[in-house]
Amino acid sequence: LKEIRKSTNAMPDGAVIIDENHEIVNCNKASKELAGLKRKKDRGQRIDNIIRDPALTKLLESEDQTHAIDIPSPVTDGGWLNVRVVPYGVDQRLVFLRDITERIRLHKMRRDFVANASHELRSPLTVISGYLDAIAEDAEIPADWTGPVEQMRTQAQRMSQLVSELLELSSLEGGSKASSDAIVDVAGLLAAARKSYSRDANLPAIELQLESRAQLRGEGSQIESVISNLLSNALRHTPGDVAGAGIERRRQ
């Protein structure tokens, strides 16, 4: 028993022996550092009464021994633990606890970088595509410009598609839905979208007619994407004579 205890205490990961009722039989030193468990004090206590997480309770009740979960650390703010449960002895199981805080932090940094970079690229690409579309539809464009402009339009569309895919990937990796608590200034997004296209005299003028300053709850980047796509399509399909006449198109 001494040798087993010495070997488990030397492990960097937490190891907790539980019985068929999920009650703690024994645990090593690492489990104290990682989850705040105390071998003598917590013996006989249900592990899910000490580490309170619905995902852990579900894992303990599951028969799948290959599944592992990631849960917030019960002792460290911003910390994360990977938990795995395997059979151990008669009517007992071994719960492994591993600190994965650094892995989660790096994953979040990468996901946020991809999302932020993609979001920042979307608006300038939309403006570039708008200018290129206007040039391509101009009847007075020099003949030797037609090919290069068309190539630029194709590449701009390709980059826009790539940005959209990166944003979708980031959203899926995040595993979160649009937050209903986020306040979105729709009027501000409309004004920013209008300003993006206002510098080109060949495009129809855009006038905002706002009947309300009410805000929305949702995901600002997704609403901005909808506005940008609608506006880009409207400008792209506006006849050339309308653009030349400078007729203002109203968007509410």
Side-chain angles (χ1 to χ4, degrees), residues 105-217:
R105 186 182 70 84
L106 291 174
H107 178 72
K108 184 178 182 301
M109 285 177 60
R110 181 183 63 81
R111 188 179 69 240
D112 290 347
F113 173 78
V114 171
N116 292 335
S118 302
H119 179 71
E120 291 299 322
L121 285 171
R122 170 169 281 182
S123 293
L125 277 173
T126 301
V127 175
I128 291 171
S129 296
Y131 282 129
L132 289 173
D133 290 341
I135 293 172
E137 294 169 4
D138 189 347
E140 299 180 1
I141 181 175
D144 56 345
W145 282 27
T146 303
V149 169
E150 192 57 38
Q151 288 181 5
M152 286 188 285
R153 291 180 70 190
T154 301
Q155 293 303 317
Q157 291 173 1
R158 178 171 171 270
M159 288 184 68
S160 296
Q161 180 63 32
L162 179 60
V163 167
S164 296
E165 291 174 357
L166 287 172
L167 284 170
E168 176 106 11
L169 175 62
S170 179
S171 177
L172 291 173
E173 285 185 335
S176 59
K177 298 180 180 179
S179 172
S180 59
D181 295 328
I183 303 299
V184 180
D185 181 9
V186 180
L189 293 180
L190 289 169
R194 174 185 178 276
K195 186 177 180 181
S196 296
Y197 293 95
S198 63
R199 297 184 180 88
D200 191 346
N202 294 321
L203 294 176
I206 302 167
E207 178 184 315
L208 294 180
Q209 188 175 15
L210 302 174
E211 298 179 357
S212 171
R213 302 294 298 187
Q215 298 177 325
L216 293 179
R217 292 184 182 273

Side-chain angles (χ1 to χ4, degrees), residues 26-45:
N26 210 335
C27 60
N28 67 349
K29 285 184 179 180
S31 62
K32 178 180 179 180
E33 299 174 2
L34 296 175
L37 300 180
K38 299 176 181 177
R39 184 167 58 88
K40 293 181 180 180
K41 180 181 177 182
D42 294 332
R43 183 177 295 162
Q45 299 290 324

Side-chain angles (χ1 to χ4, degrees), residues 18-32:
I18 59 173
D19 61 19
E20 57 186 351
N21 297 317
H22 308 162
E23 295 175 355
I24 297 173
V25 177
N26 210 335
C27 60
N28 67 349
K29 285 184 179 180
S31 62
K32 178 180 179 180

